[in-house]
Amino acid sequence: TARQRQVSLAEERVKEAADELKGAEEDVQNCQEELSKAHVVSSVNGTVTRIFPKVGEFCRQGEVAIKVADESKGFIINAYVREEDAPLVAVGQPAKVRVLAGRRRYVDAVVEQIGEHTQSQDSAVPTQSARPGQHELVWVKLRPKDYTELGDGLKHGMTARAIIKVR
């Protein structure tokens, strides 16, 4: 009789596990259906260059979730200048840009926007100030005048080096 009780308990556990598995499979099916309904709306055609939330995180309606490079406006280059050089840079100022993955030659660009803070202040995660020997950096947005001169195979998000003439 003790053996029969053990067998009965084991059978109940198997039945409970089968019911739990069936519920989990239904949950997966529901999640897949919800995911198939999810979509991202952008006001421009372009390339997604950054995704802000981590996979699986929820975001509120209207919250920035992705960064899209507007392909109709050509390439932009996000650059950083040392904090002490930032006051010497102005919107509309000429710059020379060399994309490391392109033809490796400098092309003309224009400073389109300058950040208001150093990189450590703009960071969503608190960071310490620059370590000794390192400089605080300020973000600068550059737009090449003719991005076709940068070379074939250029993709959004590639590394570039820029020189901004300030004198």
Side-chain angles (χ1 to χ4, degrees):
T1 60
R3 187 81 170 141
Q4 288 175 337
R5 273 189 260 143
Q6 285 179 339
V7 169
S8 294
L9 284 172
E11 287 174 344
E12 285 180 36
R13 287 185 188 141
V14 168
K15 186 177 182 293
E16 288 172 7
D19 290 343
E20 193 175 320
L21 176 62
K22 184 179 177 186
E25 288 171 342
E26 289 173 1
D27 286 346
V28 167
Q29 180 68 29
N30 290 338
C31 287
Q32 287 174 335
E33 288 174 15
E34 287 298 314
L35 182 60
S36 70
K37 295 176 190 174
H39 62 281
V40 176
V41 178
S42 174
S43 59
V44 298
N45 290 329
T47 303
V48 174
T49 59
R50 187 163 176 204
I51 300 174
F52 292 97
K54 292 186 173 97
V55 174
E57 284 184 336
F58 289 97
C59 62
R60 292 181 214 100
Q61 184 175 356
E63 183 178 347
V64 175
I66 62 171
K67 186 174 182 180
V68 178
D70 184 349
E71 292 174 353
S72 69
K73 293 184 179 177
F75 283 91
I76 61 158
I77 296 172
N78 291 313
Y80 293 91
V81 296
R82 293 184 313 195
E83 182 179 23
E84 55 267 23
D85 293 335
L88 303 172
V89 178
V91 172
Q93 189 170 11
K96 293 284 189 183
V97 178
R98 182 174 72 143
V99 177
L100 300 178
R103 293 183 180 154
R104 301 179 85 76
R105 70 175 191 209
Y106 287 95
V107 297
D108 293 325
V110 175
V111 176
E112 198 166 275
Q113 193 174 354
I114 303 168
E116 296 179 7
H117 308 97
T118 60
Q119 188 179 18
S120 64
Q121 288 177 328
D122 286 336
S123 176
V125 179
T127 59
Q128 291 183 347
S129 179
R131 290 176 271 165
Q134 287 188 324
H135 299 280
E136 283 283 354
L137 301 175
V138 175
W139 170 81
V140 177
K141 179 179 175 182
L142 304 169
R143 185 166 306 277
K145 289 183 177 180
D146 183 4
Y147 67 90
T148 59
E149 290 183 25
L150 293 171
D152 297 331
L154 191 63
K155 294 187 178 37
H156 292 280
M158 288 184 163
T159 303
R161 182 166 289 146
I163 295 173
I164 302 170
K165 300 210 181 220
V166 294
R167 291 181 180 85

